[in-house]
Amino acid sequence: MSTNRTGVSRPGYYEACLPLAAAWKDQRPARQARSHLDPADFEALRDAGFLRSVVPEALGGFWRDAATSARPVAETLRLLAGADPAVALVSAMHPSVVGFWLLTPDESQPQWEAQRQAVFASAAAGEQWGTVTSEPGSGGDITRTRATATPVEAGSTLVGRSYALRGDKHFGSGPGITQRMVTTAVPDGEDEPRMFVIDTRAWQPPGTPEMAVVAEWDGVGMAATQSHAIRLDGVPAVRLEYDGPLSTVTARSGAVTATLFTSVILGILDEAVATTRPRVAARADDLRAYEQVEWTRAITEHWLAVQAYEGALRAVESDAPDARLAALLAKQSVAELAESALGRLSRVIGGSAYSRRSPFAHWYEDVRALGFLRPPWALAFDNLFALSLA
């Protein structure tokens, strides 16, 4: 076990991911040309122990509490994003989703606690979790769902009440890769949306009447996340057993989740700056004044992005009352700074950056995609406005 830049010990899964990231960087041209995920990458991350990063220590995992365990998860995703942003984003879904259960303990609810233990056991066994919650026309708001949930007889491998789900979903990262995916729907006879877990192992790859891909992801950024559009037509699922508003669960994990997505954006920017620096150094005596200024402004924006990310992590680590607001402010700030800095770096590189063969063209679209989709700008600023007045 080594230490990171702040002197905090790094867990074994981080160390095991270092050679993976190095190897993936060597494969960058081929990886950036992909439009689909490679299961071998996620098997390697599973073998490295990353899926146990959010499993409590008592169950054989690495998670102790947010104060000590959130940073290593974020730093691992930051490392992976510099090597393969699509893989990093899909991987970020696992701790973000498991975080719903991890960060909302409630011993007054026995069924909820039993489900929490089942979720942790699933992750400890090497099952990867993901999400397919967004719907066409929802603006990214997972509570604005038209999907329905009908009670059915039990038959799931997870603790909880069984339902059959029907509805259209899109922007689900990792279909065909993940073994469990969460989504939202309104149960029959109820008015409020609830969260459900789909055991996707029986539907891999999604291509059955119950869970079918109706449109493959063709985004120009994060092109290999498989954020396909999926139609649910009676697919079995288990209800999230928390007895309380869905907003309580999402709020408890919100600061950590936002920080994990921020780490992915920052990891891309880290790598772009590191790739540009030796090129600038080699041409230092010949750079025009404009190029010097653009480089300087780019590294200034990178520095600001790092400070925003560190601020979010410190808020999470200290359990600050405004940690969720701090994390969302950091995410939006880093998304804007990364897009601006990537543009500046590309102008310093010159015309060669504007090519499908250039990593900069891909990185620019990757950071833009993350800002547009996780969540969309309008919803993101709605949330910031509301939290700023709370």
Side-chain angles (χ1 to χ4, degrees):
M1 182 178 290
S2 66
T3 58
N4 64 14
R5 58 177 63 86
T6 64
V8 177
S9 295
R10 286 170 166 156
Y13 65 81
Y14 180 93
E15 299 298 318
C17 286
L18 286 170
L20 291 179
W24 294 353
K25 287 181 182 180
D26 291 339
Q27 303 161 2
R28 178 169 291 141
R31 286 177 172 273
Q32 288 187 323
R34 290 178 181 175
S35 59
H36 289 79
L37 297 164
D38 185 346
D41 292 338
F42 298 91
E43 292 169 6
L45 290 173
R46 182 177 296 110
D47 292 342
F50 178 73
L51 298 186
R52 291 186 289 118
S53 63
V54 283
V55 174
E57 289 179 331
L59 298 177
F62 295 95
W63 186 270
R64 181 173 302 169
D65 52 43
T68 55
S69 303
R71 180 180 291 271
V73 180
E75 286 291 275
T76 302
L77 292 168
R78 182 179 176 184
L79 168 74
L80 296 174
D84 191 321
V87 173
L89 181 61
V90 174
S91 297
M93 300 300 168
H94 176 78
S96 299
V97 167
V98 175
F100 293 143
W101 288 268
L102 185 67
L103 299 169
T104 316
D106 189 340
E107 294 183 356
S108 69
Q109 300 188 42
Q111 186 73 353
W112 170 242
E113 285 299 316
Q115 189 177 69
R116 291 180 71 236
Q117 296 305 308
V119 170
F120 304 150
S122 164
E127 293 177 2
Q128 183 163 347
W129 287 64
T131 175
V132 58
T133 52
S134 185
E135 297 182 13
S138 68
D141 187 344
I142 66 173
T143 66
R144 293 176 59 184
T145 175
R146 292 190 292 268
T148 61
T150 302
V152 295
E153 290 188 11
S156 172
T157 58
L158 191 71
V159 173
R161 288 166 285 175
S162 296
Y163 288 75
L165 306 186
R166 289 177 173 81
D168 288 331
K169 302 286 180 175
H170 65 179
F171 300 155
S173 296
I177 294 293
T178 55
Q179 287 76 49
R180 310 272 184 171
M181 299 191 84
V182 300
T183 193
T184 51
V186 179
D188 290 352
E190 300 183 33
D191 297 324
E192 298 297 322
R194 303 299 299 183
M195 188 170 287
F196 296 84
V197 179
I198 303 170
D199 183 344
T200 60
R201 291 174 297 178
W203 322 105
Q204 301 258 14
T208 67
E210 293 86 357
M211 185 175 178
V213 173
V214 294
E216 290 205 349
W217 170 245
D218 63 352
V220 295
M222 295 289 176
T225 55
Q226 295 183 190
S227 300
H228 304 326
I230 293 178
R231 177 159 296 152
L232 307 177
D233 190 7
V235 68
V238 169
R239 180 172 178 153
L240 184 142
E241 289 292 351
Y242 184 77
D243 185 15
L246 178 59
S247 59
T248 300
V249 175
T250 56
R252 293 274 181 87
S253 61
V256 171
T257 297
T259 304
L260 297 183
F261 290 157
T262 301
S263 71
V264 175
I265 311 174
L266 184 59
I268 300 170
L269 183 55
D270 290 337
E271 187 65 15
V273 170
T275 302
T276 308
R277 181 172 280 108
R279 301 190 189 189
V280 171
R283 298 173 49 214
D285 294 338
D286 299 322
L287 287 178
R288 293 181 172 88
Y290 174 78
E291 294 168 321
Q292 295 178 34
V293 170
E294 286 295 272
W295 164 251
T296 303
R297 294 180 72 179
I299 61 171
T300 299
E301 289 172 336
H302 179 225
W303 183 85
L304 288 170
V306 172
Q307 307 316 305
Y309 166 75
E310 285 292 334
L313 272 177
R314 287 193 293 272
V316 168
E317 291 167 337
S318 64
D319 195 22
D322 63 346
R324 188 180 174 206
L325 174 60
L328 290 176
L329 286 169
K331 178 184 176 295
Q332 296 310 117
S333 298
V334 172
E336 292 181 331
L337 289 165
E339 184 175 342
S340 176
L342 256 298
R344 297 186 193 282
L345 294 174
S346 297
R347 288 190 282 274
V348 173
I349 294 297
S352 63
Y354 197 65
S355 165
R356 294 184 186 275
R357 297 185 302 274
S358 166
F360 292 89
H362 294 274
W363 286 330
Y364 183 72
E365 295 300 339
D366 287 343
V367 298
R368 291 181 71 227
L370 205 57
F372 275 105
L373 301 174
R374 306 294 175 188
W377 287 109
L379 177 59
F381 278 91
D382 279 354
N383 291 338
L384 281 175
F385 180 78
L387 283 173
S388 71
L389 302 178

